[in-house]
Amino acid sequence: MRTLGKLFIIMAALLALGAAFVWKHLTASATPEQLTAESASQPFTSATSSAQHSQGLPRLAAPTATLAAERVKAFESLKQRAKAGDAVAQRQLAQAYDACFVVNLDRQRFVTGYEALRMREPEHAAVLDHLAQQRMAQCDAVDGGAIVPMELIRGWYAQAAQNGDLFARAMDNALNLRPYDTARATRLMDDVVASGDPAAVYALGGNMSETMVENMGEPYRALVTGPEASTAWMLAGCRMGYDCGPESTEIVNLCLLSNRCLGETYEEMVFATLKSDAERQALERKIQQVMDAVTP
């Protein structure tokens, strides 16, 4: 259960960390703005349609010029808000770059992997086609389809964390593998509980490391212990309003990268994996325990 609860966010972190060698030329002191400018100068070389055609895939309908322009406008607006210092926009920009890391790193390889997945799961091909099309179209709008440096993702998460976004604070800790002591673990929990922020609740569950659990102070220890804890926090965030639907970033990542394309919400996916009523009841109790702690 704990492994399942962590899967979505940690998958993105590992993808970013795994490609560090590509960006050794980037300095640790580079600003997110500098990295944005550099990545924008390195667009991918294979157009989506030609990549699909070369692999024998069904040609996905290209977005209309108006829709493509709207996506670009929305991304540029998000980037401007992030540059202006909006912490939530900075976190959302990091998430947008994170979601496009694999897609824009090598579009041909992404399409090849998509084809292989499509062949393994023909009964889910319609869902996969739709989600892959949506993801590629979204990533075309991210700096014009430019390759995303790992440090750009880290940089914007770190900037958002510094400016107070709790989701980004949890994600920044995970990306940089920072262990928790009691003071830091308890302080993060204090802030998340006080915020009542669905995104922060979700992120805390997804980044519930062993050192956080081991060093959590009272009165929170019971909220982070047990095999259901990580998943319960994530599902509590979903129930509070964080987007965990079939087309949310995390669910689409799971579909495109780890072979589960069933059109489910995160909650539906979790409960489908449970083997007994006792497990379902235990998870429900833990979710309620979390929600009682974080909602007025």
Side-chain angles (χ1 to χ4, degrees), residues 48-96:
T48 303
S49 59
S50 63
Q52 291 166 353
H53 180 71
S54 67
Q55 295 300 316
L57 297 177
R59 188 177 295 277
L60 300 174
T64 65
T66 299
L67 181 56
E70 287 175 353
R71 286 192 175 112
V72 171
K73 183 177 180 181
F75 176 77
E76 292 301 326
S77 175
L78 174 64
K79 189 159 63 172
Q80 288 304 312
R81 296 197 305 276
K83 289 181 176 181
D86 183 317
V88 173
Q90 289 169 342
R91 181 250 297 170
Q92 291 173 340
L93 183 60
Q95 289 176 294

Side-chain angles (χ1 to χ4, degrees), residues 223-271:
L223 292 174
V224 299
T225 55
E228 307 90 3
S230 174
T231 305
W233 276 86
M234 295 175 78
L235 287 177
C238 297
R239 291 184 181 184
M240 292 167 65
Y242 187 72
D243 184 8
C244 303
E247 296 193 19
S248 63
T249 296
E250 288 84 359
I251 289 288
V252 176
N253 284 346
L254 192 67
C255 168
L256 298 177
L257 302 176
S258 63
N259 195 22
R260 189 179 179 100
C261 300
L262 303 181
E264 302 165 298
T265 66
Y266 176 45
E267 181 160 337
E268 288 168 343
M269 188 208 75
V270 169
F271 277 90

